[in-house]
Amino acid sequence: MSIMSKSILPLLLSIAAIVSRDEHFATAFMPSSIRRNARAVGGATGRNTFTTLHARSRRRGNGKNSLVMMPQGTPMVPWQPPGQEYAQFVDIYSRLYRDRIMLIGNFIDDEAANNIISILLYLKKESPTEKITLYFNVPGALLRPALAVYDLICQLRDDGCEISTLNLGLATGMGALLCGAGTKGKRTCMPNARFLLQRTGMDTVFQGQASDIALEVANMKKYNDRMEVELSKMTAQPVSKIRADMKRDFYLSSEEAVAYGLIDAVLIPPVMKGFRELRYERDPWTGEQRLVQEEETGLGVFGGEEEQKYGGQAGGGWGTGWKVDEKSGGGYDGDGDNYEPPTQK
């Protein structure tokens, strides 16, 4: 073994120990000169130095590879009150309320229903006839609180307040009924949204005498029958068909919901101008499908089949000035770009 390898070996062992985070191994094989410098810099022992250097390296790495966390609370957005020079931060839901937009995205229980009812009443008081937009992504709802929200939406709609509803993702149970309670022609959904129609069971576990349990079950059945009647009025479907469909979970896609009468339209983005369907062809050598590339319009070439002209000019299009009428004798006829002055005879 050469002299150079003997001097480098302890340094390599110490570096490997530092990487493996073995403090005792690092200090045992650390050369005396490095150990003395480490004591002078970090403290009395090499172990303290190792810990200090390791902590410094971790702090340096945190600034480069730190994990960025999403906000855990309600997002805050700037809003400038009328007549003030500076904006203030408000939660995003309050900002949407100022534009008469409400996002219903949680399970509708008693507390959620009370919040929805209070906000709708405030918006109705603020402007009785201005449109209110409701966005739904509801995983479910309790029967009786959701029926209270449904009655209020119907009352606002009948009083002349336009209610626009939009299903963003999934409207389950009573959420589907609320989504269909909007103004006719303003009930929409996204292309990939779904509806789930189902009968609702008991809200909570009910305990008591057998006669009380029977009364609670009969009351729940009565409310479910009422919901089926409301769906029949909304969709123009017979009650017998709705009852047969809701014996089990009845899923509807966006197009099926329109055909069923639950909503009026599906919001489909407009087709981009010039969009063409992708075409594939089989490679004769490999047999794989490959995309057929569209022909690109080169420089100086006008796309389209029509001939490009300027201001209704007669004759040919651009670059056809050399086509001079023979009767003009090679003079300028006002259409071409190859003008030659007339010659005197």
Side-chain angles (χ1 to χ4, degrees), residues 274-318:
F275 174 77
R276 297 180 182 178
E277 185 178 358
L278 298 179
R279 295 186 297 109
Y280 294 88
E281 64 179 5
R282 186 177 297 277
D283 192 343
W285 298 100
T286 61
E288 298 179 354
Q289 295 287 341
R290 63 182 181 182
L291 180 64
V292 178
Q293 301 293 335
E294 297 182 1
E295 297 182 0
E296 298 181 357
T297 303
L299 297 176
V301 180
F302 291 90
E305 300 178 356
E306 297 182 358
E307 194 174 15
Q308 305 293 327
K309 298 182 180 181
Y310 174 78
Q313 69 175 15
W318 298 103

Side-chain angles (χ1 to χ4, degrees), residues 100-117:
R100 303 177 70 84
I101 298 175
M102 181 185 298
L103 174 62
I104 304 176
N106 297 325
F107 186 85
I108 302 177
D109 52 6
D110 294 324
E111 183 180 358
N114 292 333
N115 293 333
I116 295 172
I117 290 173

Side-chain angles (χ1 to χ4, degrees), residues 163-188:
I163 305 295
S164 175
T165 59
L166 172 63
N167 181 11
L168 297 174
L170 176 63
T172 304
M174 294 300 296
L177 180 68
L178 296 178
C179 191
T183 306
K184 292 287 185 179
K186 300 296 182 179
R187 305 173 303 174
T188 57

Side-chain angles (χ1 to χ4, degrees), residues 68-94:
V68 179
M69 301 295 293
M70 294 297 293
Q72 300 295 329
T74 304
M76 307 294 289
V77 294
W79 176 72
Q80 184 175 0
Q84 295 188 8
E85 299 180 357
Y86 301 98
Q88 61 185 9
F89 279 89
V90 297
D91 63 280
I92 191 169
Y93 298 108
S94 300

Side-chain angles (χ1 to χ4, degrees), residues 46-324:
R47 182 176 179 179
N48 296 335
T49 303
F50 172 80
T51 307
T52 304
L53 295 177
H54 185 62
R56 290 177 182 176
S57 64
R58 293 193 63 181
R59 284 197 298 268
R60 287 195 298 268
N62 286 338
K64 185 181 298 183
N65 300 322
S66 59
L67 181 62
V68 179
M69 301 295 293
M70 294 297 293
Q72 300 295 329
T74 304
M76 307 294 289
V77 294
W79 176 72
Q80 184 175 0
Q84 295 188 8
E85 299 180 357
Y86 301 98
Q88 61 185 9
F89 279 89
V90 297
D91 63 280
I92 191 169
Y93 298 108
S94 300
R95 181 65 184 90
L96 292 176
Y97 298 154
R98 299 180 188 278
D99 293 334
R100 303 177 70 84
I101 298 175
M102 181 185 298
L103 174 62
I104 304 176
N106 297 325
F107 186 85
I108 302 177
D109 52 6
D110 294 324
E111 183 180 358
N114 292 333
N115 293 333
I116 295 172
I117 290 173
S118 61
I119 294 172
L120 289 177
L121 290 176
Y122 174 78
L123 295 178
K124 170 67 174 178
K125 182 67 175 178
E126 191 178 38
S127 180
T129 58
E130 192 175 353
K131 183 179 72 171
I132 299 176
T133 304
L134 303 178
Y135 291 89
F136 290 92
N137 192 15
V138 183
L142 299 181
L143 182 60
R144 278 171 278 209
L147 281 177
V149 178
Y150 174 78
D151 291 338
L152 178 60
I153 292 177
C154 293
Q155 183 180 3
L156 296 179
R157 183 191 62 195
D158 297 339
D159 290 343
C161 182
E162 182 179 333
I163 305 295
S164 175
T165 59
L166 172 63
N167 181 11
L168 297 174
L170 176 63
T172 304
M174 294 300 296
L177 180 68
L178 296 178
C179 191
T183 306
K184 292 287 185 179
K186 300 296 182 179
R187 305 173 303 174
T188 57
C189 73
M190 301 301 288
N192 295 320
R194 293 186 303 166
F195 296 85
L196 173 57
L197 299 177
Q198 57 181 188
R199 294 177 66 90
T200 305
M202 299 179 65
D203 299 343
T204 57
V205 178
F206 186 81
Q207 297 179 355
Q209 299 180 3
S211 57
D212 295 336
I213 296 176
L215 290 174
E216 182 68 19
V217 172
N219 190 24
M220 185 62 60
K221 184 179 182 301
K222 180 180 178 180
Y223 274 100
N224 275 283
D225 295 340
R226 184 178 180 83
M227 182 186 67
E228 293 173 354
V229 173
E230 295 297 329
L231 279 174
S232 177
K233 295 178 182 179
M234 184 185 304
T235 61
Q237 301 285 347
V239 180
S240 59
K241 175 176 174 54
I242 293 178
R243 189 165 299 169
D245 292 337
M246 295 180 61
K247 285 184 177 179
R248 293 290 183 269
D249 290 347
F250 185 58
Y251 284 93
L252 291 172
S253 64
S254 56
E255 293 82 4
E256 293 172 347
V258 174
Y260 202 78
L262 190 59
I263 59 174
D264 301 310
V266 181
L267 299 183
I268 301 177
V271 181
M272 294 183 298
K273 186 177 181 181
F275 174 77
R276 297 180 182 178
E277 185 178 358
L278 298 179
R279 295 186 297 109
Y280 294 88
E281 64 179 5
R282 186 177 297 277
D283 192 343
W285 298 100
T286 61
E288 298 179 354
Q289 295 287 341
R290 63 182 181 182
L291 180 64
V292 178
Q293 301 293 335
E294 297 182 1
E295 297 182 0
E296 298 181 357
T297 303
L299 297 176
V301 180
F302 291 90
E305 300 178 356
E306 297 182 358
E307 194 174 15
Q308 305 293 327
K309 298 182 180 181
Y310 174 78
Q313 69 175 15
W318 298 103
T320 58
W322 56 274
K323 298 179 181 179
V324 183

